[in-house]
Amino acid sequence: MNKYIFFLNLLFCSSIASVFGQDTLNSLKYDWNPGIEGTGPVRGLEVSCHVNTNYKVNSNSDLYGKGKGEIDNNRVFETKLRFPIFLNQKLKIAGSFDYSDEEFHFDDISDNNYPLYKSLNEKNLKSIGGSIYLMTQLKRNMFFLFRFNAKLKGDYWKEHIGDVNKYTFLKMEMSPVIGWKVNSKKSWGIGMAYSYTFGDPLLFPIFVYNHSFADKWGVEAFLPARIKLRYQASKLCFINAKARLQGGSYSIHFDDPELNDFKTLELRRADVNFSVEIEKGITDWLWASFESGYRTNINFDVTNKNHAFSLSGSELINKNSIIDSSVKGGVFYNISVFLVPSKTILKKIGLK
């Protein structure tokens, strides 16, 4: 699952609610809103470019044997829009829409005949879809969060699109959470997630924790997927140390006689990223960020099976893999430009 960050989206919903519903929320006896003080900028419209630099890949398959390749770069271009849908005292609903395009560029691909590398090289792997986020008060400071995500992910090959099921490219994720707002600087929750965080669709428990402390410090966690330690250097500057497990799946087509029995296959991938990020405000409504770190891969396999709900799918996954690959680690960087709700503009139009 990216293409889109769940916990930051929750912060966006919470911040929007505080902007448009501040007076009504103050009338409530209990503060249940999971958003807390001291968090970073709320990302509304965002455009980003992510690049994984040079790394090697080794593959093994019963059909194709062993293969070796080197990826010069792997880039992902993404744009995302987050927006409020419905806001009142006890219910907040927000949505998001995002689109991404990913490409792999292999080194000396003309001298490498391994089918996986040939098929992936300079192929546009697209993702388009959206999410719905719901937040509601259960009792006193107790809240319920729910996120549903649906995307079409794949290479959308025109010559074969009529041969596959219309749901071939559809990938869905969901995560319900029950939580508690301890005070204005701390909230936490527990829940379950069905997602592609590990590359394969799995059902697993999650723990959410958000805490601001020591004036300028804070921690945001959505375990096991990600954790972030943040420091507010100034009013318009945040420095973040991050660890993130990021996975996903693309439906792809191999133009190879050996795989004629399969209308589509899935490339499933998961990386663990360790990075440092700087978020800098150009104005109070226009921000930019630069992130760089090290990536290590834990999943890069091609499978012919859409697995159902599973608590631990490793044995099942291996049985259905067409190509198993191991990918070396490497450096990555990400550049983003994004718009945030402007306090200056909101004041001028009377909303703040």
Side-chain angles (χ1 to χ4, degrees), residues 255-270:
D255 189 14
D256 189 284
E258 295 283 351
L259 297 175
N260 282 340
D261 292 337
F262 304 111
K263 300 296 184 183
T264 182
L265 298 171
E266 290 200 16
L267 172 66
R268 291 179 174 166
R269 171 183 178 179

Side-chain angles (χ1 to χ4, degrees), residues 79-188:
T79 181
K80 189 165 190 173
L81 174 65
R82 304 172 180 90
F83 49 88
I85 298 175
F86 177 80
L87 306 169
N88 71 12
Q89 293 182 7
K90 293 190 176 183
L91 177 64
K92 324 291 178 185
I93 302 176
S96 70
F97 173 82
D98 61 275
Y99 169 83
S100 68
D101 183 288
E102 180 170 6
E103 280 190 0
F104 294 86
H105 296 272
F106 282 80
D107 182 44
D108 294 329
I109 191 63
S110 59
D111 299 327
N112 195 325
N113 292 318
Y114 203 72
L116 173 61
Y117 312 152
K118 285 283 190 181
S119 296
L120 284 183
N121 187 58
E122 297 186 355
K123 176 176 286 188
N124 294 101
L125 300 176
K126 298 180 176 64
S127 173
I128 185 170
S131 301
I132 293 292
Y133 312 95
L134 180 148
M135 301 184 293
T136 187
Q137 182 182 20
L138 295 180
K139 183 176 65 173
R140 297 185 178 180
N141 66 330
M142 187 178 180
F143 57 83
F144 173 74
L145 308 175
F146 182 77
R147 171 195 180 244
F148 175 78
N149 177 308
K151 295 181 179 180
L152 299 175
K153 297 174 67 75
D155 55 355
Y156 306 158
W157 62 98
K158 294 181 180 179
E159 61 271 25
H160 296 283
I161 195 70
D163 298 332
V164 300
N165 188 287
K166 61 182 179 179
Y167 299 111
T168 296
F169 301 102
L170 182 62
K171 307 292 186 293
M172 294 185 292
E173 300 173 317
M174 63 186 72
S175 51
V177 173
I178 293 178
W180 292 263
K181 179 71 169 285
V182 179
N183 53 49
S184 63
K185 294 187 176 182
K186 182 188 294 187
S187 66
W188 68 280

Side-chain angles (χ1 to χ4, degrees), residues 267-298:
L267 172 66
R268 291 179 174 166
R269 171 183 178 179
D271 296 320
V272 180
N273 297 336
F274 302 94
S275 64
V276 174
E277 177 188 47
I278 298 176
E279 297 176 301
K280 185 70 175 70
I282 302 170
T283 68
D284 68 339
W285 59 271
L286 178 61
W287 285 63
S289 71
F290 177 77
E291 179 183 3
S292 184
Y294 186 81
R295 172 200 54 80
T296 181
N297 180 266
I298 61 172

